Amino acid sequence: MTASKRPAPAVRGGRPSSEPDPVRVTFRRFAGVRTRVLEVGPPVVEAEAPKRSRKRGTDKARAPRLVLLHGYCDSADTWRPVLAELAAAGIAAVAVDLPGFGDAQPLRPGPMLPQLDAFAAAVVREQAVLGPVVLAGNSLGGTLGLRAAQNPRLPLVGVVSIAAPGFVDSWLVRTVARNSLPLRLYSALPLPVPGFLVRAVAEQVVPRLLYADAGTADAGQVRRFTTLFPDYRATTSRLEQARQLVTELADAYQLDRVHVPLLVVACGKDKLVSSAAGRRLHTLVPHSRLLVREDWGHCPQLDDPPEIAELLTFFAAGAVRSGDVKRPARAASQAAEDTAAG
């Protein structure tokens, strides 16, 4: 699968500054976690209920709905430019703050991935009441997408996994997982590093890690990332959490259980997850499709929002049309029950 790059609009997100923001912001609860939701398309409370056809257990064809998940130490705002593009195209989509990030409630003590799985599943089930769901995730969100695809009870018609870690990762990610010495040394500094210095370093490091070209990094997005590292104590906590997460990734996948349509996106300028990771994932899931973009970094939704929006729209439409995966009729009913329980 290939894609040609087109020039980015003069205004990020493809929306002139004079136009109102098409992204609605609400707060909802999923799997017991209160979080912030960014949404475009028909609101949940206003969308029409699915219409049953005369054939038992089937629904009238409906437009796909996108659920967008961000990566570690990120938030739903990473998808804002893409959401604006999707809104302009009339595509329904939601992006959520994952537990522990953005404005979501914190994670509980203990393993992280099971908590994140339950949260993502609740979001998918809510949206599945309104239409066929395609789940797209970047980095940690890509991992959650793959894990959701392993669950046959989830009403998914497709998954897009962008730069999912745990396959072929960078030296930095491997160091966090296998060598705790740098973290111990940082935590044992005799005097805490001043907050302004922590933020100054983050402002230099973040664009280089997340973008294909640090010189094109959006200042607002960079500032948003640096707020996650306001001081020495918060940075230490995030590093400890990252180490736990990378450890959990060692047993994160059971890819033989993935049967839904899967698009694997690998990025040639990714400094955290090698593009070789995407190629390996594609090999491990033979029915998947692979897109390698040499000009994208770890967060292509920031590098090239119009292309990512177009890619998601194209894949979602194809996944709905293909009908490759037949879900039991009870999945939609289960979705409504789970949403009410959450």
Side-chain angles (χ1 to χ4, degrees):
M1 183 175 180
T2 60
S4 59
K5 186 169 183 176
R6 69 186 189 191
V11 177
R12 288 191 178 272
R15 175 176 57 88
S17 58
S18 59
E19 293 185 8
D21 189 349
V23 180
R24 300 187 301 278
V25 181
T26 60
F27 282 82
R28 299 212 283 277
R29 191 174 294 273
F30 300 101
V33 178
R34 186 174 186 271
T35 191
R36 185 178 55 129
V37 179
L38 308 185
E39 187 173 14
V40 295
V44 171
V45 294
E46 296 177 9
E48 293 183 1
K51 296 180 180 179
R52 296 283 183 183
S53 68
R54 291 187 178 181
K55 185 178 179 181
R56 184 178 180 182
T58 61
D59 290 333
K60 182 180 179 180
R62 291 170 288 159
R65 304 184 68 84
L66 291 166
V67 172
L68 308 177
L69 302 181
H70 62 78
Y72 181 76
C73 272
D74 202 345
S75 74
D77 291 300
T78 195
W79 291 106
R80 271 188 179 272
V82 173
L83 287 169
E85 297 284 343
L86 294 172
I91 305 298
V94 297
V96 293
D97 288 341
L98 292 173
F101 307 104
D103 290 325
Q105 290 180 316
L107 287 160
R108 299 182 300 277
M112 299 167 60
L113 287 179
Q115 298 180 58
L116 295 169
D117 289 340
F119 177 88
V123 179
V124 168
R125 286 171 174 145
E126 177 203 71
Q127 293 296 305
V129 174
L130 308 172
V133 173
V134 169
L135 177 59
N138 169 238
S139 194
L140 171 59
T143 292
L144 297 180
L146 291 173
R147 288 170 63 87
Q150 295 168 183
N151 182 355
R153 296 188 62 192
L154 276 185
L156 285 170
V157 298
V159 169
V160 181
S161 181
I162 305 171
F167 297 99
V168 182
D169 300 326
S170 71
W171 65 268
L172 178 60
V173 173
R174 294 195 302 270
T175 298
V176 169
R178 301 174 186 173
N179 185 5
S180 62
L181 179 60
L183 179 56
R184 290 203 307 269
L185 290 175
Y186 180 78
S187 301
L189 288 174
L191 293 175
V193 179
F196 76 87
L197 184 56
V198 172
R199 292 189 295 273
V201 172
E203 287 175 359
Q204 295 299 314
V205 172
V206 165
R208 288 168 172 77
L209 289 180
L210 303 185
Y211 284 81
D213 179 1
T216 65
D218 179 80
Q221 292 283 2
V222 173
R223 283 194 300 272
R224 179 176 62 80
F225 277 104
T226 58
T227 60
L228 295 166
F229 307 95
D231 52 37
Y232 166 84
R233 186 174 184 178
T235 303
T236 302
S237 176
R238 287 295 186 188
L239 289 172
E240 289 281 7
Q241 190 181 50
R243 187 163 182 266
Q244 176 186 338
L245 180 59
V246 174
T247 301
E248 290 185 34
L249 286 174
D251 300 312
Y253 304 115
Q254 296 177 324
L255 297 175
D256 59 319
R257 300 177 61 183
V258 175
H259 301 296
V260 299
L262 171 65
L263 172 61
V264 178
V265 179
C267 308
K269 292 188 176 181
D270 191 335
K271 302 173 185 67
L272 293 176
V273 178
S274 167
S275 61
R279 293 185 174 91
R280 184 180 179 193
L281 173 56
H282 174 53
T283 300
L284 293 172
V285 186
H287 75 268
S288 65
R289 303 177 71 184
L290 174 66
L291 170 65
V292 180
R293 281 292 295 258
E294 297 297 340
D295 55 337
W296 284 350
H298 186 63
C299 294
Q301 69 272 15
L302 300 178
D303 280 323
D304 199 347
E307 280 292 334
I308 289 294
E310 187 173 311
L311 177 68
L312 295 178
T313 301
F314 178 79
F315 175 80
V320 171
R321 285 197 306 268
S322 68
D324 289 338
V325 180
K326 303 297 183 184
R327 296 289 179 180
R330 64 178 177 272
S333 297
Q334 183 67 44
E337 294 172 8
D338 291 346
T339 299

